[in-house]
């Protein structure tokens, strides 16, 4: 603004009046100042304006860099934040960058609200964050913390997947656990419960894993090694998430195991990658757009009403049947 004032031959205060479209300048002066601003490429610093009023109107989003479902959530966060008049700032976690560092970076940039995608932090830390900013946890509950929660009904999604596989005649159904990944404990419990409900308790098998392609690859190698020792392959696998399912599919395909003829594979999330494979992945869909909208609205509402008690949005998942699930192979 000082540069504009100097070149236009007016005071900085008059430039401020013109930029705020307030009375106090002639039309001729107004036109000259705006022309000079256009010539030198002046852009108003909206962040500085908001900070001068004690607000940043910025939501910070912490996400895991390699989680494809998080990119789907972020794609839904942007339009809802813009609709409500907020900017979005991203900060990612990687194996070499902790959650705490990613979150503190957002707070140092004066983000008023925090949307945490699958945080792995302890409830006590999340509770502390909830007293520093309007915080929302997506995908992971932290009972007792002063944060809002948005997640899908994990158990319901697993039940849909298991019912689908049992109806196709599958009995030897293995579950690849998601480790500390969001929703993993609920999915593991739901898998065991579904196997008991279908009278398959003796077939229950939970393999340790994680929400990564490497986990699926390792599981595939384990199952193939067992087959080479004369043990039967499971007829179906419920993976911890889509990334894990894709790693498993890669390993099985390279070994000549045909999916779904020899083995059915089901994922969880319905991330955008599940549509891009040669064989579409059967998976449990979490509505990323709706989850994102709830997260943004919760953060904005808490900024406007800090006294609100912590809220929880539980969204219904839906099984999406594609090409990786089919009838159980006939026993010779």
């Amino acid at each position: 603004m000082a540069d504009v004032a100097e070149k236009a031959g007016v005071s900085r205060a008059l430039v401020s009046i013109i930029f705020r479209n307030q009375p106090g300048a002639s039309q001729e002066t107004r036109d000259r100042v705006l022309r000079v601003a256009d010539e030198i490429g002046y852009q108003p610093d909206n962040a500085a304006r908001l900070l001068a009023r004690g607000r940043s109107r910025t939501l910070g989003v912490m996400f895991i860099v390699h989680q494809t479902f998080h990119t789907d959530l972020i794609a839904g966060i942007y339009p809802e934040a813009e609709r409500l008049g907020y900017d979005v700032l991203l900060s990612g976690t990687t194996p070499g960058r902790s959650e705490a560092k990613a979150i503190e970076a957002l707070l140092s940039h004066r983000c008023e609200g925090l949307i945490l995608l699958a945080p792995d932090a302890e409830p006590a830390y999340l509770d502390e964050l909830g007293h520093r900013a309007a915080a929302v946890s997506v995908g992971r509950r932290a009972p007792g913390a002063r944060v809002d929660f948005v997640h899908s009904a994990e158990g319901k999604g697993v039940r849909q997947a298991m019912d689908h596989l049992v109806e196709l005649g599958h009995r030897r159904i293995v579950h690849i656990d998601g480790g500390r990944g969001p929703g993993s404990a609920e999915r593991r419990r739901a898998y065991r419960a579904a196997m008991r409900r279908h009278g398959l308790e003796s077939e229950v098998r939970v393999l340790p894993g994680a929400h990564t392609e490497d986990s699926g690859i390792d599981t595939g190698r384990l199952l193939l090694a067992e087959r080479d020792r004369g043990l039967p392959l499971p007829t179906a696998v419920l993976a911890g998430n889509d990334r894990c399912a894709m790693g498993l599919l890669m390993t099985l395909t390279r070994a000549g195991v045909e999916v779904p003829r020899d083995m059915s594979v089901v994922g969880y999330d319905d991330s955008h990658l599940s549509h891009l494979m040669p064989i579409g992945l059967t998976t449990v869909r979490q509505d990323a757009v709706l989850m994102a909208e709830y997260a943004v609205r919760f953060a904005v509402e808490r900024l406007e009403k800090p006294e609100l008690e912590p809220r929880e949005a539980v969204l219904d998942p839906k099984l999406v049947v594609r090409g990786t699930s089919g009838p159980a192979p006939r026993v010779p």
Side-chain angles (χ1 to χ4, degrees), residues 80-100:
E80 184 66 6
E82 290 175 3
R83 186 183 72 83
L84 296 175
Y86 281 77
D87 288 329
V88 174
L89 187 64
L90 304 179
S91 186
T93 68
T94 67
R97 190 171 193 252
S98 68
E99 283 189 3

Side-chain angles (χ1 to χ4, degrees), residues 192-216:
R192 292 182 181 276
M195 291 292 277
R196 288 195 300 269
R197 181 164 52 88
H198 288 291
L200 301 173
E201 190 166 7
S202 63
E203 299 287 352
V204 168
R205 188 181 184 192
V206 178
L207 297 175
H211 286 173
T212 64
E213 291 86 359
D214 286 344
S215 173

Side-chain angles (χ1 to χ4, degrees), residues 1-7 10-17 19-20 40 42 44 49:
M1 287 172 59
D3 294 339
V4 173
E6 181 181 357
K7 188 167 184 178
V10 297
S11 68
R12 188 182 182 283
L14 190 59
V15 171
S16 177
I17 287 173
F19 284 168
R20 286 182 283 122
I40 68 174
Y42 170 83
R49 285 180 176 178

Side-chain angles (χ1 to χ4, degrees), residues 174-191:
V174 168
H175 175 51
I176 306 175
D177 185 29
R180 290 182 57 84
S184 295
E186 293 86 350
R187 295 172 196 177
R188 182 171 58 249
R189 285 194 294 267
Y191 160 78

Side-chain angles (χ1 to χ4, degrees), residues 15-300:
V15 171
S16 177
I17 287 173
I18 293 170
F19 284 168
R20 286 182 283 122
N21 200 28
Q22 294 184 345
S26 67
Q27 189 60 47
E28 180 183 354
T29 302
R30 189 178 299 272
D31 291 342
R32 185 170 76 256
V33 167
L34 294 176
R35 184 173 63 254
V36 167
D38 186 58
E39 288 173 356
I40 68 174
Y42 170 83
Q43 292 290 333
D45 189 338
N46 289 324
R49 285 180 176 178
L50 290 167
L51 287 175
R53 302 174 195 165
R55 294 290 305 273
S56 71
R57 294 193 73 86
T58 301
L59 302 178
V61 179
M62 185 212 75
F63 68 105
I64 301 172
V65 169
H66 295 299
Q67 280 295 354
T68 53
F69 186 62
H70 288 190
T71 64
D72 296 342
L73 288 167
I74 291 168
I77 287 171
Y78 271 110
E80 184 66 6
E82 290 175 3
R83 186 183 72 83
L84 296 175
Y86 281 77
D87 288 329
V88 174
L89 187 64
L90 304 179
S91 186
T93 68
T94 67
R97 190 171 193 252
S98 68
E99 283 189 3
K101 190 168 185 178
I103 291 170
E104 290 301 325
L106 294 172
L107 292 172
S108 70
H109 284 84
R110 302 191 182 228
C111 293
E112 293 183 280
L114 297 174
I115 298 177
L116 311 175
L117 305 187
D120 196 30
E122 294 296 326
Y125 177 66
L126 293 179
D127 184 57
E128 176 194 340
L129 285 178
H131 287 84
R132 298 171 65 188
V136 182
S137 172
V138 180
R140 193 188 297 275
R141 299 183 71 252
R146 187 177 173 73
V147 298
D148 297 313
F149 308 107
V150 179
H151 61 97
S152 68
E154 309 284 354
K156 185 178 291 187
V158 170
R159 285 194 297 273
Q160 292 178 28
M162 294 297 292
D163 289 348
H164 169 65
L165 292 172
V166 171
E167 287 171 4
L168 289 171
H170 293 278
R171 296 295 180 268
R172 293 197 310 276
I173 307 171
V174 168
H175 175 51
I176 306 175
D177 185 29
R180 290 182 57 84
S184 295
E186 293 86 350
R187 295 172 196 177
R188 182 171 58 249
R189 285 194 294 267
Y191 160 78
R192 292 182 181 276
M195 291 292 277
R196 288 195 300 269
R197 181 164 52 88
H198 288 291
L200 301 173
E201 190 166 7
S202 63
E203 299 287 352
V204 168
R205 188 181 184 192
V206 178
L207 297 175
H211 286 173
T212 64
E213 291 86 359
D214 286 344
S215 173
I217 291 170
D218 291 342
T219 300
R221 289 172 177 167
L222 170 67
L223 296 176
L224 292 170
E226 291 179 349
R227 181 195 63 176
D228 294 341
R229 295 198 304 270
L231 298 175
L233 284 171
T235 64
V237 175
L238 173 65
N241 73 342
D242 289 351
R243 290 180 64 194
C244 179
M246 290 172 191
L248 175 64
L249 287 169
M250 288 168 51
T251 304
L252 295 176
T253 301
R254 289 170 180 169
V257 177
E258 291 194 25
V259 176
R261 189 195 69 181
D262 302 325
M263 185 190 299
S264 290
V265 176
V266 178
Y268 205 107
D269 282 343
D270 195 28
S271 60
H272 64 274
L273 289 182
S274 63
H275 309 267
L276 304 179
M277 302 179 61
I279 304 175
L281 178 66
T282 295
T283 183
V284 178
R285 181 173 186 263
Q286 298 193 86
D287 193 331
V289 172
L290 191 57
M291 293 175 78
E293 290 175 350
Y294 265 102
V296 172
R297 287 201 295 268
F298 275 1
V300 171

